[in-house]
């Protein structure tokens, strides 16, 4: 198997290139000390970017402090345990990466530096300088994967800060005046937070807020999982109703139950159709109770039929009104004779009423006998426009056949 060996450039070449480009790259060379090179290979004042990542430095080399024009310094993935105090002499330094080292603290002198980006992630920091708030130009601060139990109060004085990463620490609480920060990104996940300050809802510029993997009680984890908007609403209610998160959770649970009950009541009202005072349709549980429709109709239709009533003209409001014969009824009488303002029913219900009324009519006619004189003048079954039923269409044919057969019987008898 062929093996590819990466041949690094000689260190002297890197210094010669730095003299031309201003970028010194000594990454991945397992260096423990700063290499010694002839002074005429490069000019330290011409270097503005230095990369010492992936080496074995146990401290930032003092030679770096001679790079007076240095703007960016990368010391990622070393074994640095100490930061020299002379580092703050680099007045032009704006980006400093000290991540993945063994730092337990940083010198207070660093707070006077004009850094805009500081990466201290994956170290062993247990505290921060009290005067960290003096880094007024700092915009990006990464303190993730350390052992910080709390934050200094002055951290809220970083008014230029827009990115703050605090995940994987040992934070038990956040500063109450954290709302003074203008950050748009805040990550406090994987800490020991049990509550969030109510002032968090005042952070208007905050767009990304990560708070997972915390033993939170206020707000609860299920609220935090819904997003920043729900967190703000919870904290606002907490501010109005008191500081007891149990009361807020009980109140939220009661509000949810009340809304669920209102929704079920609205469904019951929309599904139930009031019929009359004696019918169970308009009851609260009318949705779940069964109605024997034809049995109910027998009692109501029988009271709606009269045999000695003169003919009525057709109703103009769309009611089903027979206009000839001895029996006259209207659809309004079927719905509720004592409640004329009942809501209109569907066409399907009207058709069912019409069928039930006609069946009762046929039953009454059969009981009176075939020889009734008023049979020929009986009204046709009421019908809704645009609908037809074979059962109703056969009624006039049967009457004509019976009348014709009776006429033929009388003629034969006279002869």
């Amino acid at each position: 198997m062929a093996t590819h060996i990466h041949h690094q450039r000689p260190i002297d070449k890197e210094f010669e290139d730095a003299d031309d480009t201003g970028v010194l790259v000594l990454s991945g060379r397992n260096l423990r000390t700063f290499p010694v090179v002839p002074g005429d290979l490069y000019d330290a004042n011409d270097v503005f970017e230095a990369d010492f990542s992936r080496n074995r430095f146990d401290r930032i080399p003092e030679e770096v402090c001679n790079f007076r024009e240095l703007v960016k310094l990368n010391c990622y993935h070393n074994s640095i345990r100490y930061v020299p105090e002379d580092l703050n002499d680099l007045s032009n330094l704006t980006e400093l990466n000290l991540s993945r080292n063994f730092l337990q603290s940083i010198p207070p002198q660093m707070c006077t530096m004009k850094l805009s980006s500081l990466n201290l992630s994956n170290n062993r920091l247990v505290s921060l300088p009290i005067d960290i708030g003096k880094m007024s130009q700092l915009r990006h601060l990464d303190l993730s994967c350390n052992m910080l139990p709390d934050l200094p109060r002055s951290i809220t004085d970083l008014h230029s800060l827009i990115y703050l990463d605090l995940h994987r620490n040992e934070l038990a609480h956040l500063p109450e005046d954290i709302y003074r920060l203008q950050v748009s990104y805040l990550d406090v996940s994987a800490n020991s937070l049990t509550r969030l300050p109510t002032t968090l809802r005042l952070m208007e510029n905050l767009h990304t807020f990560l708070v997972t993997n915390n033993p939170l009680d206020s707000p609860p984890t299920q609220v935090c999982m819904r997003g920043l908007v729900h967190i703000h609403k919870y904290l606002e209610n907490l501010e109005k109703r008191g500081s007891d998160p149990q009361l807020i959770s009980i109140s939220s649970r009661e509000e949810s139950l009340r809304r669920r009950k209102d929704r079920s009541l609205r469904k019951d009202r929309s599904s139930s159709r009031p019929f009359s005072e004696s019918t169970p349709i308009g009851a609260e549980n009318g949705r779940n109770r069964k109605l024997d429709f034809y049995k109910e109709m027998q009692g109501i239709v029988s009271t709606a039929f009269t045999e000695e009533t003169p003919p009525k003209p057709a109703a103009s409001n769309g009611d089903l009104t027979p206009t000839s014969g001895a029996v006259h009824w209207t659809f309004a009488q079927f719905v509720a004779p004592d409640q004329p303002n009942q809501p209109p029913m569907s066409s399907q219900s009207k058709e069912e009423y019409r069928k039930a009324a006609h069946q009762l009519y046929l039953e009454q006619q059969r009981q009176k006998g075939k020889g009734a004189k008023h049979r020929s003048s009986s009204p046709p079954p009421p019908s809704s426009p645009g609908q037809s039923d074979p059962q109703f269409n056969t009624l006039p044919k049967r009457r004509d056949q019976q009348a014709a057969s009776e006429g033929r019987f009388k003629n034969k008898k006279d002869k």
Side-chain angles (χ1 to χ4, degrees), residues 398-414:
R398 291 176 181 174
R399 291 175 181 169
D400 294 342
Q401 293 174 359
Q402 291 176 0
S405 61
E406 289 179 358
R408 288 195 299 270
F409 177 76
K410 289 181 181 180
N411 293 335
K412 290 180 181 180
K413 191 174 182 179
D414 292 340

PDB file of all heavy atoms in Angstrom, residues 398-414:
ATOM      1  N   ARG A 398    -102.112   5.040  -8.364  1.00  0.00           N
ATOM      2  CA  ARG A 398    -102.965   4.090  -7.644  1.00  0.00           C
ATOM      3  C   ARG A 398    -104.380   4.635  -7.490  1.00  0.00           C
ATOM      4  O   ARG A 398    -105.360   3.910  -7.622  1.00  0.00           O
ATOM      5  CB  ARG A 398    -102.362   3.811  -6.283  1.00  0.00           C
ATOM      6  CG  ARG A 398    -101.060   3.024  -6.344  1.00  0.00           C
ATOM      7  CD  ARG A 398    -100.485   2.866  -4.957  1.00  0.00           C
ATOM      8  NE  ARG A 398     -99.222   2.130  -4.991  1.00  0.00           N
ATOM      9  CZ  ARG A 398     -98.447   1.945  -3.937  1.00  0.00           C
ATOM     10  NH1 ARG A 398     -98.820   2.443  -2.756  1.00  0.00           N
ATOM     11  NH2 ARG A 398     -97.334   1.264  -4.059  1.00  0.00           N
ATOM     12  N   ARG A 399    -104.493   5.929  -7.196  1.00  0.00           N
ATOM     13  CA  ARG A 399    -105.831   6.524  -7.046  1.00  0.00           C
ATOM     14  C   ARG A 399    -106.608   6.465  -8.363  1.00  0.00           C
ATOM     15  O   ARG A 399    -107.815   6.152  -8.384  1.00  0.00           O
ATOM     16  CB  ARG A 399    -105.684   7.968  -6.592  1.00  0.00           C
ATOM     17  CG  ARG A 399    -105.165   8.091  -5.166  1.00  0.00           C
ATOM     18  CD  ARG A 399    -104.925   9.531  -4.839  1.00  0.00           C
ATOM     19  NE  ARG A 399    -104.408   9.686  -3.487  1.00  0.00           N
ATOM     20  CZ  ARG A 399    -103.912  10.823  -2.996  1.00  0.00           C
ATOM     21  NH1 ARG A 399    -103.868  11.890  -3.773  1.00  0.00           N
ATOM     22  NH2 ARG A 399    -103.472  10.891  -1.756  1.00  0.00           N
ATOM     23  N   ASP A 400    -105.975   6.786  -9.488  1.00  0.00           N
ATOM     24  CA  ASP A 400    -106.664   6.724 -10.793  1.00  0.00           C
ATOM     25  C   ASP A 400    -107.094   5.299 -11.121  1.00  0.00           C
ATOM     26  O   ASP A 400    -108.210   5.080 -11.639  1.00  0.00           O
ATOM     27  CB  ASP A 400    -105.712   7.246 -11.882  1.00  0.00           C
ATOM     28  CG  ASP A 400    -105.412   8.725 -11.682  1.00  0.00           C
ATOM     29  OD1 ASP A 400    -106.181   9.390 -10.949  1.00  0.00           O
ATOM     30  OD2 ASP A 400    -104.385   9.205 -12.235  1.00  0.00           O
ATOM     31  N   GLN A 401    -106.227   4.344 -10.802  1.00  0.00           N
ATOM     32  CA  GLN A 401    -106.605   2.954 -11.081  1.00  0.00           C
ATOM     33  C   GLN A 401    -107.795   2.520 -10.234  1.00  0.00           C
ATOM     34  O   GLN A 401    -108.717   1.860 -10.712  1.00  0.00           O
ATOM     35  CB  GLN A 401    -105.404   2.038 -10.834  1.00  0.00           C
ATOM     36  CG  GLN A 401    -104.260   2.248 -11.813  1.00  0.00           C
ATOM     37  CD  GLN A 401    -103.050   1.434 -11.450  1.00  0.00           C
ATOM     38  OE1 GLN A 401    -103.068   0.730 -10.449  1.00  0.00           O
ATOM     39  NE2 GLN A 401    -101.991   1.549 -12.269  1.00  0.00           N
ATOM     40  N   GLN A 402    -107.780   2.944  -8.938  1.00  0.00           N
ATOM     41  CA  GLN A 402    -108.911   2.576  -8.082  1.00  0.00           C
ATOM     42  C   GLN A 402    -110.197   3.247  -8.542  1.00  0.00           C
ATOM     43  O   GLN A 402    -111.277   2.620  -8.561  1.00  0.00           O
ATOM     44  CB  GLN A 402    -108.592   2.986  -6.637  1.00  0.00           C
ATOM     45  CG  GLN A 402    -107.486   2.158  -6.024  1.00  0.00           C
ATOM     46  CD  GLN A 402    -107.116   2.647  -4.641  1.00  0.00           C
ATOM     47  OE1 GLN A 402    -107.701   3.609  -4.164  1.00  0.00           O
ATOM     48  NE2 GLN A 402    -106.143   1.975  -4.022  1.00  0.00           N
ATOM     49  N   ALA A 403    -110.118   4.545  -8.913  1.00  0.00           N
ATOM     50  CA  ALA A 403    -111.318   5.251  -9.380  1.00  0.00           C
ATOM     51  C   ALA A 403    -111.841   4.630 -10.666  1.00  0.00           C
ATOM     52  O   ALA A 403    -113.056   4.482 -10.866  1.00  0.00           O
ATOM     53  CB  ALA A 403    -110.991   6.731  -9.601  1.00  0.00           C
ATOM     54  N   ALA A 404    -110.939   4.246 -11.574  1.00  0.00           N
ATOM     55  CA  ALA A 404    -111.380   3.646 -12.838  1.00  0.00           C
ATOM     56  C   ALA A 404    -112.052   2.292 -12.603  1.00  0.00           C
ATOM     57  O   ALA A 404    -113.077   1.972 -13.219  1.00  0.00           O
ATOM     58  CB  ALA A 404    -110.186   3.487 -13.778  1.00  0.00           C
ATOM     59  N   SER A 405    -111.464   1.516 -11.670  1.00  0.00           N
ATOM     60  CA  SER A 405    -112.065   0.204 -11.401  1.00  0.00           C
ATOM     61  C   SER A 405    -113.440   0.348 -10.753  1.00  0.00           C
ATOM     62  O   SER A 405    -114.365  -0.409 -11.065  1.00  0.00           O
ATOM     63  CB  SER A 405    -111.130  -0.606 -10.514  1.00  0.00           C
ATOM     64  OG  SER A 405    -110.947   0.056  -9.276  1.00  0.00           O
ATOM     65  N   GLU A 406    -113.614   1.339  -9.851  1.00  0.00           N
ATOM     66  CA  GLU A 406    -114.919   1.556  -9.229  1.00  0.00           C
ATOM     67  C   GLU A 406    -115.947   2.009 -10.257  1.00  0.00           C
ATOM     68  O   GLU A 406    -117.111   1.618 -10.221  1.00  0.00           O
ATOM     69  CB  GLU A 406    -114.778   2.594  -8.116  1.00  0.00           C
ATOM     70  CG  GLU A 406    -114.022   2.070  -6.907  1.00  0.00           C
ATOM     71  CD  GLU A 406    -113.878   3.135  -5.836  1.00  0.00           C
ATOM     72  OE1 GLU A 406    -114.334   4.266  -6.088  1.00  0.00           O
ATOM     73  OE2 GLU A 406    -113.294   2.828  -4.770  1.00  0.00           O
ATOM     74  N   GLY A 407    -115.502   2.891 -11.195  1.00  0.00           N
ATOM     75  CA  GLY A 407    -116.435   3.339 -12.253  1.00  0.00           C
ATOM     76  C   GLY A 407    -116.880   2.181 -13.119  1.00  0.00           C
ATOM     77  O   GLY A 407    -118.053   2.079 -13.479  1.00  0.00           O
ATOM     78  N   ARG A 408    -115.969   1.289 -13.517  1.00  0.00           N
ATOM     79  CA  ARG A 408    -116.363   0.130 -14.330  1.00  0.00           C
ATOM     80  C   ARG A 408    -117.306  -0.792 -13.563  1.00  0.00           C
ATOM     81  O   ARG A 408    -118.249  -1.364 -14.114  1.00  0.00           O
ATOM     82  CB  ARG A 408    -115.101  -0.634 -14.754  1.00  0.00           C
ATOM     83  CG  ARG A 408    -114.275   0.103 -15.805  1.00  0.00           C
ATOM     84  CD  ARG A 408    -113.254  -0.838 -16.449  1.00  0.00           C
ATOM     85  NE  ARG A 408    -112.334  -1.351 -15.464  1.00  0.00           N
ATOM     86  CZ  ARG A 408    -111.182  -0.746 -15.155  1.00  0.00           C
ATOM     87  NH1 ARG A 408    -110.852   0.398 -15.765  1.00  0.00           N
ATOM     88  NH2 ARG A 408    -110.383  -1.262 -14.287  1.00  0.00           N
ATOM     89  N   PHE A 409    -117.120  -0.934 -12.231  1.00  0.00           N
ATOM     90  CA  PHE A 409    -117.995  -1.790 -11.442  1.00  0.00           C
ATOM     91  C   PHE A 409    -119.403  -1.212 -11.385  1.00  0.00           C
ATOM     92  O   PHE A 409    -120.401  -1.944 -11.511  1.00  0.00           O
ATOM     93  CB  PHE A 409    -117.425  -1.914 -10.029  1.00  0.00           C
ATOM     94  CG  PHE A 409    -118.302  -2.729  -9.117  1.00  0.00           C
ATOM     95  CD1 PHE A 409    -118.358  -4.117  -9.205  1.00  0.00           C
ATOM     96  CD2 PHE A 409    -119.098  -2.097  -8.176  1.00  0.00           C
ATOM     97  CE1 PHE A 409    -119.157  -4.855  -8.359  1.00  0.00           C
ATOM     98  CE2 PHE A 409    -119.897  -2.813  -7.317  1.00  0.00           C
ATOM     99  CZ  PHE A 409    -119.928  -4.200  -7.396  1.00  0.00           C
ATOM    100  N   LYS A 410    -119.541   0.117 -11.248  1.00  0.00           N
ATOM    101  CA  LYS A 410    -120.861   0.756 -11.204  1.00  0.00           C
ATOM    102  C   LYS A 410    -121.569   0.624 -12.535  1.00  0.00           C
ATOM    103  O   LYS A 410    -122.783   0.381 -12.611  1.00  0.00           O
ATOM    104  CB  LYS A 410    -120.721   2.220 -10.830  1.00  0.00           C
ATOM    105  CG  LYS A 410    -120.326   2.414  -9.382  1.00  0.00           C
ATOM    106  CD  LYS A 410    -120.214   3.906  -9.058  1.00  0.00           C
ATOM    107  CE  LYS A 410    -119.792   4.096  -7.594  1.00  0.00           C
ATOM    108  NZ  LYS A 410    -119.678   5.522  -7.254  1.00  0.00           N
ATOM    109  N   ASN A 411    -120.852   0.790 -13.652  1.00  0.00           N
ATOM    110  CA  ASN A 411    -121.473   0.668 -14.976  1.00  0.00           C
ATOM    111  C   ASN A 411    -122.030  -0.731 -15.195  1.00  0.00           C
ATOM    112  O   ASN A 411    -123.125  -0.907 -15.743  1.00  0.00           O
ATOM    113  CB  ASN A 411    -120.454   1.028 -16.049  1.00  0.00           C
ATOM    114  CG  ASN A 411    -120.070   2.494 -15.987  1.00  0.00           C
ATOM    115  OD1 ASN A 411    -120.882   3.312 -15.482  1.00  0.00           O
ATOM    116  ND2 ASN A 411    -118.876   2.841 -16.465  1.00  0.00           N
ATOM    117  N   LYS A 412    -121.275  -1.727 -14.792  1.00  0.00           N
ATOM    118  CA  LYS A 412    -121.760  -3.112 -14.961  1.00  0.00           C
ATOM    119  C   LYS A 412    -122.991  -3.350 -14.122  1.00  0.00           C
ATOM    120  O   LYS A 412    -123.930  -4.031 -14.515  1.00  0.00           O
ATOM    121  CB  LYS A 412    -120.648  -4.092 -14.592  1.00  0.00           C
ATOM    122  CG  LYS A 412    -119.507  -4.128 -15.562  1.00  0.00           C
ATOM    123  CD  LYS A 412    -118.450  -5.124 -15.142  1.00  0.00           C
ATOM    124  CE  LYS A 412    -117.282  -5.152 -16.088  1.00  0.00           C
ATOM    125  NZ  LYS A 412    -116.259  -6.129 -15.683  1.00  0.00           N
ATOM    126  N   LYS A 413    -123.020  -2.781 -12.887  1.00  0.00           N
ATOM    127  CA  LYS A 413    -124.149  -2.988 -12.004  1.00  0.00           C
ATOM    128  C   LYS A 413    -125.392  -2.301 -12.521  1.00  0.00           C
ATOM    129  O   LYS A 413    -126.520  -2.838 -12.428  1.00  0.00           O
ATOM    130  CB  LYS A 413    -123.806  -2.447 -10.607  1.00  0.00           C
ATOM    131  CG  LYS A 413    -124.811  -2.838  -9.539  1.00  0.00           C
ATOM    132  CD  LYS A 413    -124.316  -2.379  -8.202  1.00  0.00           C
ATOM    133  CE  LYS A 413    -125.314  -2.811  -7.099  1.00  0.00           C
ATOM    134  NZ  LYS A 413    -124.852  -2.392  -5.767  1.00  0.00           N
ATOM    135  N   ASP A 414    -125.252  -1.116 -13.134  1.00  0.00           N
ATOM    136  CA  ASP A 414    -126.411  -0.413 -13.696  1.00  0.00           C
ATOM    137  C   ASP A 414    -126.979  -1.184 -14.875  1.00  0.00           C
ATOM    138  O   ASP A 414    -128.191  -1.241 -15.076  1.00  0.00           O
ATOM    139  CB  ASP A 414    -125.985   0.991 -14.118  1.00  0.00           C
ATOM    140  CG  ASP A 414    -125.641   1.829 -12.910  1.00  0.00           C
ATOM    141  OD1 ASP A 414    -126.085   1.479 -11.788  1.00  0.00           O
ATOM    142  OD2 ASP A 414    -124.880   2.848 -13.061  1.00  0.00           O
TER     143      ASP A 414
END
